[in-house]
């Protein structure tokens, strides 16, 4: 497929590959401004990805050195991975929401094995079997943690402030905080008339928040020190409704392809998660750990065919859904269980209203 797509009005997308990933690529968007090109996301930190990013810019008559700024929708390595190298080549600034900047800073400052230690403890807490946790302990002992992505992601220079226009000369790009996929995920509303005059209010760079054919992963926020009981799925559903009210003409996502009818896609995703929550309540008719729940949930393949790393993602998604049910009062932890199990809460029947007495 074509590496560069023109979207009109000084906006292009570049297909930057993600190595060994079924998503295939990240759509890095290029936005022309009066001070030079600004990138929305940068792609995975890999030599082939860098070559594709640089090659796509060359098709537009640009080089990496011409990049004026980088706006990051969220900290994941397929979006933020090449940001540091772009800055080294061009002197560009990097902007990110403070909540995701905190994730980057915490990851950079931690000893490399800290994440594996946390993950092993977390998996034991949710009921993962020892044969699943053992490879993590082995990786910790061998030092292989140093090869994983995201450990040295670039710290941004600027903070993206929700509701404010970014400092882009000649453009109106407003930040919208859309937590859920990550705590600091942002969508970016280009408040300008659509170049093809499609009905609606501008265009939306949606990152991973709103995709045309995929429901993004919503798991627990990866913070070993978080004791606040964050509700990522609740955050995501609230953010979806906020995006649905914008009435944008077109969505420019970071994966797949551009599409219209953002409000319709939002409704589909809200319905999908409500159906999933309802299905999980059925599974929780008997007490289950989050791991047992993940084993019983519907995925894109049978549980015994899901790779080790993907099972960690799956159980995190199961936890996020359970936490939403607990927040809604539709499920609860079973007291005294270790690892903790959860069970659905039967709806409380309201007492019948007394029949009205006839007037005397």
């Amino acid at each position: 497929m074509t590496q560069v797509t023109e979207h009109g009005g000084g906006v292009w997308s570049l297909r930057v590959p993600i190595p060994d990933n079924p998503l295939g690529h990240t759509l890095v968007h290029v936005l022309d401004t009066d001070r030079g090109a600004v990138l929305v996301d940068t792609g995975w930190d890999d030599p082939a990805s860098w070559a594709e990013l640089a090659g796509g810019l060359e098709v537009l008559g640009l080089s990496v050195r011409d990049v004026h700024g980088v706006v990051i929708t969220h900290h994941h390595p397929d979006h933020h991975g090449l940001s540091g190298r772009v800055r080294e080549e061009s002197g560009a600034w990097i902007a990110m929401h403070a909540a995701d900047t905190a994730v980057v800073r915490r990851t950079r400052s931690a000893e490399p094995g800290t994440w594996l230690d946390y993950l092993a403890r977390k998996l034991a807490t949710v009921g993962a079997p020892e044969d699943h946790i053992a490879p993590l302990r082995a990786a910790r002992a061998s030092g292989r943690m140093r090869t994983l992505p995201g450990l040295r992601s670039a710290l941004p220079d600027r903070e993206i402030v929700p509701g404010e226009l970014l400092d882009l000369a000649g453009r109106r790009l407003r930040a919208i905080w859309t937590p859920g996929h990550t705590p600091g995920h942002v969508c970016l509303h280009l408040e300008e008339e659509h170049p093809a005059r499609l009905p609606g209010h501008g265009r939306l760079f949606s990152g991973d928040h709103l995709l045309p054919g995929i429901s993004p992963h919503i798991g627990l926020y990866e913070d070993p020190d978080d004791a606040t009981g964050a509700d990522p799925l609740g955050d995501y559903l609230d953010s979806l409704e906020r995006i649905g009210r914008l009435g944008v003409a077109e969505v420019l996502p970071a994966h797949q392809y551009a599409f219209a009818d953002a409000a319709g896609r939002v409704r589909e995703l809200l319905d999908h998660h409500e159906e999933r929550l309802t299905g999980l309540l059925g599974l929780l008719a008997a007490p289950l750990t989050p791991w047992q729940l993940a084993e019983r949930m519907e995925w894109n393949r049978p549980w015994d065919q899901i790779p080790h790393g993907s099972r960690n993602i799956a159980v995190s998604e199961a936890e996020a859904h359970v936490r939403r049910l607990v927040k809604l009062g539709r499920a609860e932890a079973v007291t005294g269980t270790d690892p903790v199990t959860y069970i659905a809460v039967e709806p409380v029947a309201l007492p019948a209203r007394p029949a009205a007495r006839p007037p005397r």
Side-chain angles (χ1 to χ4, degrees):
M1 296 180 67
T2 305
Q3 180 191 10
V4 179
T5 300
E6 182 175 2
H7 297 281
V11 178
W12 299 263
S13 60
L14 313 179
R15 293 167 56 90
V16 177
I18 311 171
D20 302 318
N21 189 293
L23 278 175
H25 61 272
T26 301
L27 293 174
V28 172
H29 290 92
V30 183
L31 181 64
D32 187 28
T33 79
D34 291 347
R35 295 195 191 108
V38 169
L39 303 183
V40 178
D41 294 333
T42 57
W44 192 276
D45 185 5
D46 178 80
S49 304
W50 174 259
E52 289 293 313
L53 177 64
L57 290 170
E58 288 178 7
V59 171
L60 301 179
L62 301 169
S63 75
V64 176
R65 292 187 299 276
D66 297 317
V67 175
H68 169 63
V70 175
V71 183
I72 299 300
T73 62
H74 62 294
H75 72 84
H76 287 166
D78 56 324
H79 297 258
H80 182 44
L82 285 171
S83 303
R85 188 166 179 186
V86 169
R87 181 168 61 189
E88 290 173 5
E89 292 279 333
S90 64
W93 47 262
I94 301 172
M96 182 184 289
H97 187 281
D100 271 19
T101 298
V103 176
V104 172
R105 181 172 288 109
R106 182 175 63 245
T107 304
R108 286 173 57 96
S109 64
E111 190 271 331
T114 299
W115 170 243
L116 279 181
D117 291 338
Y118 162 69
L119 185 56
R121 290 194 306 271
K122 189 85 170 61
L123 287 166
T125 300
V126 299
E130 180 56 32
D131 62 357
H132 180 85
I133 302 173
L136 301 175
R137 303 193 202 281
R140 173 70 163 99
S142 70
R144 291 202 306 272
M145 185 66 184
R146 299 179 184 277
T147 66
L148 296 181
L151 292 178
R152 292 294 177 264
S153 296
L155 283 168
D157 312 285
R158 300 185 180 185
E159 179 180 338
I160 295 176
V161 180
E164 293 190 3
L165 290 171
L166 278 76
D167 182 19
L168 304 184
R171 309 305 299 247
R172 288 186 60 85
L173 188 67
R174 191 176 303 277
I176 303 169
W177 185 31
T178 50
H181 185 56
T182 70
H185 191 292
V186 294
C187 292
L188 303 155
H189 188 193
L190 190 59
E191 298 178 340
E192 302 169 7
E193 184 179 36
H194 192 282
R197 299 185 181 275
L198 296 181
H201 182 40
R203 291 180 280 180
L204 185 77
F205 298 104
S206 66
D208 281 1
H209 185 70
L210 191 61
L211 303 170
I214 301 171
S215 177
H217 166 67
I218 308 297
L220 295 189
Y221 296 142
E222 298 159 348
D223 183 357
D225 301 321
D226 177 32
T228 62
D231 179 15
L233 182 55
D235 292 344
Y236 178 66
L237 298 176
D238 290 345
S239 300
L240 273 179
E241 293 183 343
R242 191 158 57 250
I243 290 300
R245 292 191 292 268
L246 285 178
V248 297
E250 187 178 28
V251 179
L252 304 175
H255 302 288
Q256 298 192 296
Y257 49 85
F259 64 100
D261 193 16
R265 181 59 180 148
V266 164
R267 286 193 299 272
E268 290 176 356
L269 288 166
L270 291 173
D271 289 346
H272 163 75
H273 283 287
E274 183 57 37
E275 290 172 5
R276 194 162 209 192
L277 288 169
T278 300
L280 296 189
L281 283 173
L283 294 175
L284 290 173
L288 295 174
T289 66
W291 182 272
Q292 292 168 332
L293 185 62
E295 289 179 315
R296 291 160 174 76
M297 290 170 67
E298 290 188 12
W299 305 104
N300 60 1
R301 70 191 87 174
W303 182 258
D304 61 5
Q305 296 177 22
I306 296 178
H308 182 277
S310 297
R311 290 187 181 192
N312 297 337
I313 295 171
V315 75
S316 180
E317 189 152 323
E319 286 184 273
H321 280 74
V322 167
R323 189 169 289 187
R324 175 91 289 246
L325 290 171
V326 171
K327 292 274 186 179
L328 293 171
R330 296 162 74 181
E332 63 185 10
V334 178
T335 303
T337 54
D338 184 17
V340 63
T341 62
Y342 294 87
I343 192 165
V345 174
E346 291 291 334
V348 177
L350 296 176
R353 293 173 61 88
R357 294 182 179 180
R360 293 180 178 177

